[in-house]
Amino acid sequence: SKAGYATGYIGKWHLDATADRPGFVPKSRRFDHQYWAAYNVSHYYRKSGYYLDTDELRRPSPPDRWEPEYQVDQAVEFMGRNRAKPFYLMVSFGPPHPPGAGDDHPWQEHLPDGYWDQINPDALKFRGNVPAELTGRGGAAIEHMRGYYASILALENSIARMMKGVPPNTLVVITADHGEMGGSHGAFKKGSPHEEAVRVPLGFSWQGKISENLKVSTLASGVDVMPTVLGLAGVKAPGGLHGEDLSDWVLGDEGPDRDVILIQGRMERQDAWRMVRSRTHIWSESLDGRRQQLYDLREDPFQMDNLAGKEKSSELRADLESKMASIRKRFKDKRTPSKSDPKGQPDNDEA
């Protein structure tokens, strides 16, 4: 806003997680967003609500309208009001995050009408590390991924409608904060130190400025999005950021090219972990030292052969450990598992 942009935020905030869900966020905690139609965290997509500038919970009309549908309405209205001046708008959709706060909330109750039936369960394909017992008819992976893909399909249609309201000369960025295990290693959702949980899409579109179909192979992290967007907008980034400005890469040139990036998981929990991802390997360890994993993604893309304890990989392990320690020191990441709570803190993303 200091650079003259109208600023707005719509959807899931997830930075002030408390037991009071979906959660009003006071103005002092909004990082200077001028327009606000958001909530802290909730995954009840047909029983949702949001807050404006007061703690009065607003409901869509009708009350069971699928959450992204009315959020797109809000986004289109915001862009329409600000077409004559620069604007920044973040739309944070909840889906395709699984619905509810556990495993007792079936996807069908949280999807727009008709989308569940558009996904053929017999046509679903799974990665080679999904146990066979999860992929048979009625298996947990079948049910979970059917809902996941139905949610993605519905969200794609909502985003397509939103894109029709995007003015010319607008930079559009799409990304996510985590992946989906999808049954890999018998796990679902997120939180696991594996490629399926940490690899996410990151795409930039800017008509006339960014080449279509340009693919960039450099390593990128979620913390790079802010300095990269600022770089593309010609706005000076504040000091002390953890991320890199990758705008040169996005525009087709070469920019910063790191050996590894740091990934943090299960934050503030007893089972917290850290990972470094290179172009070819993953090294991760739990902060309590009980679990280490080293995988060669070229030879073992499904991460079935843990090299962490093998003598032939000791030099590689030491190198990645050293790089992780260096980045954590630079980021002042000194966190260790909670000693006061042996069960760890609640996972606010599931709450």
Side-chain angles (χ1 to χ4, degrees):
S1 60
K2 292 179 180 178
Y5 283 70
T7 58
Y9 194 99
I10 295 169
K12 178 180 173 181
W13 181 242
H14 208 359
L15 293 178
D16 279 311
T18 68
D20 180 22
R21 295 180 295 269
F24 171 68
V25 181
K27 288 185 177 182
S28 61
R29 304 285 293 174
R30 299 180 188 175
F31 294 101
D32 202 28
H33 287 98
Q34 298 160 345
Y35 172 73
W36 183 266
Y39 56 87
N40 183 49
V41 56
S42 176
H43 301 127
Y44 299 91
Y45 304 128
R46 297 195 68 164
K47 299 179 182 178
S48 65
Y50 60 95
Y51 297 91
L52 298 176
D53 289 333
T54 71
D55 60 1
E56 176 188 357
L57 180 62
R58 310 293 182 103
R59 298 289 188 184
S61 179
D64 67 344
R65 192 178 184 202
W66 195 54
E67 185 177 271
E69 291 178 346
Y70 71 79
Q71 290 171 340
V72 165
D73 290 346
Q74 294 168 335
V76 171
E77 291 169 2
F78 174 89
M79 291 186 289
R81 291 194 302 270
N82 294 284
R83 292 183 73 90
K85 57 184 176 182
F87 69 81
Y88 163 84
L89 174 65
M90 182 166 179
V91 185
S92 179
F93 296 113
H97 188 291
D103 298 324
D104 56 342
H105 296 276
W107 278 101
Q108 299 96 307
E109 297 178 4
H110 299 272
L111 289 167
D113 295 342
Y115 280 91
W116 175 262
D117 294 330
Q118 292 188 46
I119 303 300
N120 179 3
D122 296 328
L124 296 178
K125 298 184 183 300
F126 296 91
R127 289 172 63 80
N129 53 11
V130 179
E133 62 267 22
L134 299 180
T135 62
R137 181 169 291 276
I142 294 285
E143 296 300 300
H144 184 82
M145 296 310 292
R146 182 179 182 181
Y148 188 74
Y149 290 130
S151 185
I152 290 175
L153 179 60
L155 186 61
E156 283 183 342
N157 290 335
S158 290
I159 291 175
R161 184 166 65 87
M162 182 175 67
M163 291 299 293
K164 293 179 180 179
V166 174
N169 195 33
T170 300
L171 169 67
V172 179
V173 184
I174 185 167
T175 189
D177 60 345
H178 60 80
E180 165 61 51
M181 289 298 291
S184 292
H185 302 284
F188 295 93
K189 302 180 182 179
K190 59 187 181 66
S192 182
H194 290 95
E195 179 82 343
E196 294 84 358
V198 304
R199 188 168 185 138
V200 297
L202 176 59
F204 296 80
S205 175
W206 193 3
Q207 189 173 4
K209 301 292 180 65
I210 298 175
S211 299
E212 293 185 16
N213 302 317
L214 173 68
K215 293 184 179 180
V216 176
S217 61
T218 190
L219 293 168
S221 168
V223 295
D224 299 326
V225 174
M226 175 187 174
T228 301
V229 168
L230 292 177
L232 290 169
V235 177
K236 183 179 180 181
L241 297 181
H242 290 171
E244 298 280 355
D245 177 0
L246 304 180
S247 58
D248 286 339
W249 286 108
V250 174
L251 295 173
D253 298 322
E254 291 191 3
D257 198 16
R258 292 159 290 189
D259 293 333
V260 298
I261 53 174
L262 177 71
I263 301 167
Q264 301 166 309
R266 309 297 276 180
M267 302 292 284
E268 305 296 340
R269 291 177 59 102
Q270 186 70 13
D271 56 351
W273 50 263
R274 299 292 185 268
M275 172 194 287
V276 284
R277 167 66 153 85
S278 73
R279 285 183 174 81
T280 57
H281 290 81
I282 283 177
W283 161 256
S284 69
E285 59 181 340
S286 59
L287 296 189
D288 61 10
R290 296 179 182 178
R291 183 181 186 185
Q292 292 93 25
Q293 296 182 134
L294 175 61
Y295 296 110
D296 183 339
L297 297 175
R298 299 165 301 180
E299 302 295 328
D300 181 27
F302 297 137
Q303 306 135 88
M304 304 294 286
D305 182 16
N306 186 0
L307 304 175
K310 298 185 178 181
E311 180 63 29
K312 66 178 182 179
S313 303
S314 59
E315 185 175 337
L316 173 62
R317 169 178 171 164
D319 178 59
L320 293 175
E321 279 186 297
S322 175
K323 288 175 178 176
M324 176 188 283
S326 176
I327 298 174
R328 291 190 66 192
K329 181 178 181 180
R330 181 159 54 90
F331 287 1
K332 299 181 180 179
D333 177 12
K334 301 177 181 179
R335 294 178 180 176
T336 58
S338 169
K339 296 291 193 288
S340 60
D341 182 2
K343 295 182 180 180
Q345 302 299 317
D347 184 347
N348 291 313
D349 203 39
E350 299 298 290

